[in-house]
Amino acid sequence: MYAAKLAQLAALRRHQERLDRRIGRLDGRSRRYAWSRLGLVLVGAPTAYAAFEVADAGWGWGVTVGFVAAFALLAHFHRRVDEGIRRHRIWRRIKATHTARMTLDWPSIPLQHDAPADPDHPFERDLNLAGRRSLHHLLDTASTRAGSARLLDWLCCPTPDPDGLAGRQALVRELTALPAFRDRLTLLGMLAAEDPEAPWDGEGLQTWLARRTPAASQRSVLALLSALAALNALLFALYVLTPLPALWAVSFLIYASVYLFTHRAARHLFDEAYHLEKALKAFRAVAAFLETYRYGAHRHLAALCAPFREGTLRPSALLKRVIRIAAAASSQKSELVSLALNALVPWDLFFARRLERLKETLRERLPMWLHAWYDLEAFCSLATFADLNPGYVFPTLLRLPASTSEPMFSAHQLGHPLLSDPQKVCNDFSMHGPAEVVLVTGSNMSGKSTFLRTVGVNLCLAFAGAPVNAARCRTLPFRLFTCINVSDSVTDGISYFYAEVRRLKRLLEALREDHPLPLFFLIDEIFRGTNNRERLLGGRAYVHALADRRGAGLIATHDLELVHLAGEIPTLRNVHFREEVVDGRMVFDFRLRAGSCPTTNALKIMRLEGLPVEPTPLPSVDTDTQSP
C-alpha cells in the first residue's frame, strides 16, 4: 500500500522537475522577446527619423509602419509566451499541491474555506472536518468558493442518502481514472480568476443578473422608435429624390424627443455589457472544455456535464451573443459615434433590449451550469484524494434493513487519513449489530480518542462517496453523532459539565428519533466534568440508556469500573489499547485489542516527569485551639 504511494509520489516529483525545466526555457524565451522589442524600438525610431529626413515622406511612413508592424508581431508572440509561462506555473502549482497532500505538508496546501466549525453540528468539530489541517483542507481541490463549500457540505451531511451513494461512488471512480481531466479543470478554474489565489465568484454574477431593468424591456417604446427611424429614412429619401418638402425634420424631431425621454434606460448599456462579458469570459474556458470534452464510456460524468451540451443553449453560443452585444455597445465610448448611430436608429435601446433578453436566458441557465460545475469540482476533489492514495478502498455500502448474518460495520486495516503514513497504525474493527456499545479503555495517550476519530472520519468519507483509509470496509448508512471536543462558554455562562450534559442529551434525542437510518455515536469520556463517584454513577446509567436504543457506537473512557457493564449489558463489549515502559520511556503500539485494559499509566507519567506520586499525610488539626 505504502510502496504504491511512494512510486506515485516519485512520479509527481519528476513531473514537477520537467515543468520547472519547461518554465525555465519559456522564461528565457520571454527575456529574448523583451530584449528584441527594446532593440526594435532603439533601432526603429532613429531609422524612421532618418527615412523622413533623407528620403521623402512616403519612405518615412513606410519604414515607420514596418517597424510598428514588427513590434506588434513581437508583442503578440511575447504575450503568448507569457501566457504559456502563467499556465505552466499554475500547472506546476497543481502538481506541487498534489505532492503536499500526499505528504501532509499543510503550509503548502491552499486553504479555501477557513470558517470555524459549527459547534452545534452533530460531528463537524469533533472529527476535524473543517478549517486548517482538517479533512476538508486535505481534500479540497476546488477553484471556486462554492465548489469548496459543496465538498464541505458532503463531508458534514448529517444524514447520508443511501440511494444516491452508489451513483456518487461510481462517478468518483470514473474521475479517479481521469487525472488529466481533473487537473485541466482545476487549471482552467484558476485561470478564470484574475488572481489565482482568489477563486472565481459565480454567486456574485448570479446576484447581478437577478437585478432587472424594466425600462430597457419596453417593447412598445422600441417598436415606436424603430418605426419612426424607418419613417425618417423614407421621408429623407423622398425629400432628396422628389419635390416633397422636408417633412423628415418633423418626424426626426418626434423621434429625437421620444428617444431622449427613454434613452436613460440604456445609458449604462456598455458598462453592463462589458461587466457581463468580463464575468463570463472567466467562465468561458471551463464551459468550452466541458462542452467539447469526449466523454466516451464515462456515462456518469457525461450525465453530470449534460447541461453544458444542450443544443443551442450551450454556454459558448450565449457567450458569443454577449460578445456581439458588448462590441455593439462599445459605441458608447465615443460620444460622436454614439450620437450618429442613435440619430439614425435606436441603437442603444435595441441592444439594451437584446442584453436584457440575454440576461433573462442566463438567469435561467447559469444556475444549472454553476451547480453542475460546483458538483464536478467536489467530485474531482474526492477523486484526487482517491488517486493520491492508491491503497485506500471504496467501501461496500450495505442495504437496509441490516442483515443479522454480517456486521453492520467492518473494516480491515482502518487508519486515519490525517496521520502520516510512516507513523500511522491501522487496526481491524467491526460492529456486529444494533444497540451494540463498544467500550474503549486504555491509558493516557494510548490512542483511544484518535481511534474514535478514525472511525468517524472514515464514515464521513464513505458517505461523501470517497474511498476510506482501509484495506477493506463494509458499512450500513448511518446517521452520525459525536461527543468528543465539548467546550465551555465564558460568554454564555455555560460550564464544561453543563455543555457536556446538553450534548449527551442531544445524542439521546437523536437516538429516540423515528428515523429510517440507525445512529452511530462516538463518545470520549462520559461526564468528565464532575467527580469520580458521580461520573461513575451517571456513566453507568447513560451506557444502559444507549444500549436500549436503535443505534451503535463507541465510548472511550478511563473509568475501568465501566468495563464490568459487559456482564450486565449483552450488547456491550470491551476493547483496549495498552503501553509499555521501555528504558524509562512510555512506548505505545496503538494496537486495538479485545477485552478491558489491564494497566493504567497516570502515575507512571507523573513519576517519569519528576512529579510527586506518593500521598503525603495531612497534618492533624487540634480543633480545640482553632478560632471560630
Side-chain angles (χ1 to χ4, degrees), residues 599-627:
T599 62
T600 60
N601 70 355
L603 294 180
K604 295 177 186 176
I605 293 173
M606 293 167 63
R607 187 179 295 111
L608 289 173
E609 294 299 318
L611 297 181
V613 296
E614 298 297 332
T616 302
L618 294 174
S620 60
V621 177
D622 186 354
T623 57
D624 294 336
T625 62
Q626 300 299 310
S627 302

Coordinates of all heavy atoms in Angstrom, one line a residue, residues 599-627:
T599 N -3.9 -2.2 32.4 CA -2.9 -1.3 33.1 C -3.4 0.2 33.0 O -4.3 0.5 32.2 CB -1.6 -1.3 32.4 OG1 -1.7 -0.9 31.0 CG2 -1.0 -2.7 32.4
T600 N -2.8 1.0 33.8 CA -3.0 2.4 33.8 C -1.6 3.1 33.8 O -0.6 2.4 34.2 CB -3.8 3.0 35.0 OG1 -3.1 2.6 36.2 CG2 -5.2 2.3 35.0
N601 N -1.5 4.3 33.4 CA -0.2 4.9 33.3 C -0.1 6.3 33.8 O 0.9 7.0 33.7 CB 0.3 4.9 31.8 CG -0.5 5.9 31.0 OD1 -1.5 6.5 31.4 ND2 0.0 6.1 29.7
A602 N -1.2 6.8 34.5 CA -1.1 8.2 35.0 C 0.0 8.4 36.0 O 0.8 9.4 35.9 CB -2.5 8.6 35.6
L603 N 0.1 7.5 37.0 CA 1.2 7.6 38.0 C 2.6 7.4 37.3 O 3.6 8.0 37.7 CB 1.0 6.6 39.1 CG -0.3 6.9 40.0 CD1 -0.3 5.8 41.1 CD2 -0.2 8.2 40.6
K604 N 2.6 6.5 36.3 CA 3.9 6.3 35.6 C 4.3 7.6 34.9 O 5.5 8.0 35.0 CB 3.8 5.2 34.6 CG 3.5 3.8 35.1 CD 3.3 2.8 34.0 CE 2.8 1.5 34.5 NZ 2.6 0.5 33.4
I605 N 3.4 8.3 34.2 CA 3.7 9.5 33.6 C 4.2 10.6 34.6 O 5.2 11.3 34.4 CB 2.5 10.0 32.7 CG1 2.3 9.0 31.6 CG2 2.8 11.4 32.2 CD1 1.0 9.4 30.8
M606 N 3.5 10.7 35.7 CA 3.9 11.7 36.7 C 5.2 11.4 37.2 O 6.1 12.3 37.4 CB 2.8 11.6 37.8 CG 1.4 12.1 37.4 SD 0.1 11.8 38.6 CE 0.7 12.7 40.0
R607 N 5.5 10.1 37.5 CA 6.8 9.7 38.0 C 7.9 10.0 37.0 O 9.0 10.5 37.4 CB 6.8 8.3 38.4 CG 8.1 7.8 39.2 CD 8.0 6.4 39.6 NE 6.9 6.1 40.6 CZ 5.8 5.5 40.3 NH1 5.6 4.9 39.1 NH2 4.9 5.3 41.2
L608 N 7.7 9.7 35.7 CA 8.7 9.9 34.7 C 9.0 11.4 34.5 O 10.1 11.8 34.1 CB 8.2 9.3 33.4 CG 8.2 7.8 33.3 CD1 7.6 7.3 32.0 CD2 9.6 7.2 33.4
E609 N 8.0 12.2 34.8 CA 8.2 13.7 34.6 C 8.7 14.3 35.9 O 8.8 15.6 36.0 CB 6.9 14.4 34.2 CG 6.5 14.0 32.8 CD 7.6 14.4 31.7 OE1 8.2 15.5 31.9 OE2 7.9 13.5 30.8
G610 N 9.0 13.5 37.0 CA 9.5 14.0 38.2 C 8.5 14.6 39.1 O 8.9 15.4 40.1
L611 N 7.2 14.3 39.0 CA 6.2 14.9 39.9 C 6.1 13.9 41.1 O 6.3 12.7 41.0 CB 4.9 15.0 39.2 CG 4.8 16.0 38.0 CD1 3.4 16.1 37.5 CD2 5.2 17.4 38.5
P612 N 5.7 14.4 42.3 CA 5.5 13.6 43.4 C 4.2 12.7 43.2 O 3.2 13.2 42.8 CB 5.3 14.5 44.6 CG 4.8 15.8 43.9 CD 5.5 15.9 42.6
V613 N 4.3 11.4 43.5 CA 3.2 10.5 43.3 C 2.8 9.8 44.6 O 1.7 9.2 44.6 CB 3.6 9.4 42.2 CG1 3.8 10.1 40.9 CG2 4.8 8.6 42.6
E614 N 3.6 9.9 45.6 CA 3.2 9.2 46.9 C 2.4 10.2 47.7 O 2.7 11.3 47.9 CB 4.5 8.8 47.7 CG 5.4 7.8 47.0 CD 4.7 6.5 46.8 OE1 3.8 6.2 47.6 OE2 5.0 5.8 45.8
P615 N 1.3 9.7 48.3 CA 0.5 10.6 49.1 C 1.2 11.0 50.3 O 1.9 10.3 51.0 CB -0.8 9.7 49.4 CG -0.3 8.3 49.3 CD 0.8 8.3 48.2
T616 N 1.0 12.3 50.7 CA 1.6 12.8 51.9 C 0.5 13.0 53.0 O -0.5 13.7 52.7 CB 2.3 14.2 51.6 OG1 3.3 13.9 50.6 CG2 3.0 14.7 52.9
P617 N 0.7 12.5 54.2 CA -0.4 12.6 55.1 C -0.6 14.1 55.6 O 0.4 14.8 55.7 CB 0.1 11.8 56.3 CG 1.5 11.7 56.2 CD 1.8 11.7 54.7
L618 N -1.8 14.5 55.7 CA -2.1 15.8 56.1 C -1.8 16.0 57.6 O -2.0 15.1 58.4 CB -3.6 16.2 55.9 CG -4.0 16.2 54.4 CD1 -5.5 16.4 54.3 CD2 -3.3 17.3 53.7
P619 N -1.3 17.1 58.0 CA -1.1 17.4 59.5 C -2.4 17.3 60.2 O -3.5 17.7 59.8 CB -0.4 18.7 59.5 CG -0.9 19.4 58.2 CD -1.0 18.3 57.2
S620 N -2.3 16.8 61.4 CA -3.5 16.7 62.3 C -3.9 18.1 62.8 O -3.0 19.0 62.9 CB -3.3 15.8 63.5 OG -2.2 16.3 64.3
V621 N -5.1 18.4 63.0 CA -5.6 19.7 63.4 C -6.3 19.6 64.7 O -7.2 18.7 64.9 CB -6.6 20.2 62.3 CG1 -7.1 21.6 62.8 CG2 -5.9 20.4 61.0
D622 N -5.8 20.3 65.7 CA -6.4 20.4 67.1 C -7.6 21.3 67.0 O -7.4 22.6 67.1 CB -5.4 20.8 68.1 CG -5.9 20.7 69.5 OD1 -7.1 20.4 69.7 OD2 -5.1 20.9 70.5
T623 N -8.8 20.8 67.0 CA -9.9 21.7 66.9 C -10.2 22.6 68.1 O -10.8 23.6 68.0 CB -11.2 20.8 66.7 OG1 -11.3 19.9 67.8 CG2 -11.1 20.0 65.4
D624 N -9.6 22.2 69.3 CA -9.8 23.0 70.5 C -9.1 24.3 70.4 O -9.4 25.2 71.1 CB -9.4 22.2 71.7 CG -10.3 21.0 72.0 OD1 -11.4 21.0 71.5 OD2 -9.8 20.1 72.6
T625 N -8.0 24.4 69.6 CA -7.2 25.6 69.6 C -7.5 26.5 68.4 O -6.8 27.5 68.1 CB -5.7 25.2 69.5 OG1 -5.4 24.5 68.3 CG2 -5.3 24.4 70.7
Q626 N -8.5 26.1 67.6 CA -8.8 26.8 66.4 C -9.8 27.9 66.7 O -10.7 27.8 67.5 CB -9.4 25.9 65.3 CG -8.4 24.8 64.8 CD -7.2 25.4 64.3 OE1 -7.2 26.3 63.4 NE2 -6.0 24.9 64.8
S627 N -9.6 29.0 66.0 CA -10.6 30.1 66.2 C -11.9 29.8 65.6 O -11.9 29.1 64.6 CB -10.0 31.4 65.6 OG -8.7 31.7 66.2

